Structures are given as structure tokens and as C-alpha cells.
Amino acid sequence: MSAAGTSPPGGAAAAADAAPFRSGFVALLGRPNVGKSTLVNRLVGRKVSIVSDHPQTTRRRITGVLDLPGVQVVLLDLPGFQRPFDSLTRRMQTAVDEALREVDAALVMLNAVEPFGGGDRFVLQAVAAAGLPNVTVLNKADLLDGRRLGVRLEEARALAGGALVHPVSALRGEGLDQVVEALAAAMPPGPRYFPEGQSSDQPLEVLIAELVREQALRRTRDEVPHAIAVEVAAVSERDDRPLVEVEAFLIVESESQKAIVVGKGGRVVKAIGSAARGEIEAVLGVQVFLDLRVKVRRRWRRDERYVERLL
């Protein structure tokens, strides 16, 4: 018989081995441009979602896989909550609504440097209505001094009904340990949905299209980004040497937008292609030849079938 206070054979290790594996899906929710994609990339430890300063950057559900001891957290980077006004934005909002019905928990992001508004309240109310465990974070906390951050945290807690709000910087990776712990604690018993080491489930063509679009967003004027899409026509691997050849099109809605994206003497599209090629090579680990051209497809965002093909 064991003495009082002593652990059974195996101790904590045996208890850990006996604990069931836990897993689940977490929807990242918030207003556009709050930093959801930056946070997913930081938590996963690699780039699975593109980032830019433009709203509507995330157009589809992007999966990022976070593996922890005994726990797998599947993060769903979703478009920001918005009022749909065309086929594209309807599909984006539908992705958000469907995720709320399917996930095991939500991670709601608030912006520390912008006033809270109706959009933030709507997100929190939608999560509450879905009955989901919720982890709330105040992103971009590094941009405020201590006094102002304290005020914003109190405002965020009041908005969240008194719930705990974690101040974080997704860009700097600050304050994320407690967020990871809270997400892990919210996961129910479940299977390993993705093999250990797999960080996303995006098809190669989708990943390449997103990396190209990211660079296009960084190099075009304000009137163009929402109208830009990327269609990957072909991806092939050479047999004679380690080289992946990609044929892709930047899609815009008008000739004037095409002129902006092409640039004088083709300078803009060349810069987009050069930067995107570097990003693709970093992900694939192999040399890439990228044939990138620009074409006009008028009012493509209102074409339900074309939007479905792209997304």
C-alpha cells in the first residue's frame, strides 16, 4: 500500500498517457483588418494566410494547424464580418456564418487602436448566440502605452460582458502563451484531424494564388485591391531539374485597373511577380518560374459561378 501523499507508479507521466487526446476547430472572428491572418501565421509558426493592410484580404476559410502536447487546435482564419453587397462578399460572409455552426470554440479579436463599434458587438453577440467557448484578445496592444492600454482593456472587458480579455501583439508574438493555453483548454476530446507536422490543408494552386495576390495588394492603388483576383492556370514540375513552373493571371474588372496593375513599361506586374516568386520559393523550397499576366474580366465579383471557381 502506498504511503499517504506519494504518487502511484508512473506518476504524472502515466496520468498524461491516460488522458484522452483533445482536438477541435476554432473560428477566428473580428472586423476586417483586425489582424486575424497575422495571428494565425504566428500561432502556427509559418505562413499559411496572406497579410495586407487592405480590408477583405482574407476571402476564403484558411486552415492553420497548431499541435500541442496531447492537443491539436485547428484554426480557421475567416473573412471579417461585413454586410454582403455582391457575390464575392456574400460568399465571404457565408463562410463566417457556416463556421460558427461547425466549430468548437471562437477566438474573437478586437483592435486596440480603433474605437469599438457595432461590428465588434455583432461579432461577440453572434458567438454568444452560438453558445461557443470564447477566447477574446485585444490585438495591437504594443502600440499603446501602459495607461492607455489599461483603459482599452477595461473597455474591451465591458464590451465582452466582463469576460477576460488578453492583450496581445500578433505582429510581435507578444502575450500569446495564455491565449494558446486558453484555446487548448477549450478543446474537447477528439481525434488528430491532421498528421503531425502538417500546418494547413490549402491546395497548392490556392496557396500560390494567395501568395501572388498578397504581393499585388501591396503594390496597387486603393481603387484596385478589392477588384483583384488571381487565377492559377497551371502548375508543373520539370523532370530535368528541380524547378516548378507556374502560369497565373491577375484578374481585374476594367482596362483602367489593368493599366495600374501592369504599370508603365510593365514595372508593377514585374515587381509583383518577382516578390511573389520569392514567397512561393520560400514555401515550396524549390526554384520557381512564374509566368504572370494581367487580364480583364468585367464585373467578376458579381459573377456567382466565377467567384465560386476562384474561391
Side-chain angles (χ1 to χ4, degrees), residues 58-226:
T58 301
R59 290 176 172 171
R60 57 166 62 84
R61 186 168 82 175
I62 304 295
T63 301
V65 183
L66 174 60
D67 276 314
L68 304 165
V71 184
Q72 186 174 80
V73 181
V74 183
L75 304 165
L76 303 181
D77 183 12
L78 299 165
F81 268 80
Q82 60 199 299
R83 180 177 287 108
F85 58 87
D86 56 24
S87 294
L88 174 62
T89 49
R90 276 197 299 274
R91 287 187 64 86
M92 290 164 64
Q93 186 58 41
T94 296
V96 177
D97 296 337
E98 289 178 347
L100 277 173
R101 294 193 291 268
E102 298 170 357
V103 296
D104 301 285
L107 194 161
V108 176
M109 295 188 71
L110 304 173
N111 192 333
V113 296
E114 290 184 359
F116 301 135
D120 298 302
R121 284 189 289 273
F122 183 77
V123 172
L124 287 163
Q125 288 167 1
V127 171
L132 293 171
N134 175 26
V135 179
T136 304
V137 302
L138 184 66
N139 192 30
K140 307 182 184 181
D142 57 307
L143 301 180
L144 301 179
D145 59 31
R147 184 193 66 80
R148 183 58 182 150
L149 178 58
V151 171
R152 291 294 282 165
L153 277 171
E154 287 303 315
E155 294 172 349
R157 290 189 190 106
L159 187 70
L164 177 66
V165 176
H166 302 275
V168 306
S169 170
L171 184 63
R172 294 173 176 262
E174 297 172 352
L176 300 184
D177 287 348
Q178 289 182 327
V179 175
V180 170
E181 290 176 7
L183 291 175
M187 295 298 94
R192 184 182 292 279
Y193 291 102
F194 294 90
E196 196 166 1
Q198 181 175 339
S199 57
S200 186
D201 63 349
Q202 288 190 85
L204 179 59
E205 289 82 0
V206 170
L207 178 58
I208 289 173
E210 287 291 273
L211 292 173
V212 173
R213 188 165 67 90
E214 178 181 43
Q215 298 307 318
L217 291 175
R218 293 181 178 180
R219 290 166 174 81
T220 53
R221 301 177 191 173
D222 290 340
E223 64 267 30
V224 176
H226 294 169

Side-chain angles (χ1 to χ4, degrees), residues 254-278:
S254 68
E255 292 294 337
S256 62
Q257 291 171 351
K258 180 178 179 180
I260 293 170
V261 175
V262 171
K264 187 176 181 180
R267 282 200 290 265
V268 175
V269 70
K270 288 177 183 175
I272 293 170
S274 177
R277 185 177 64 249

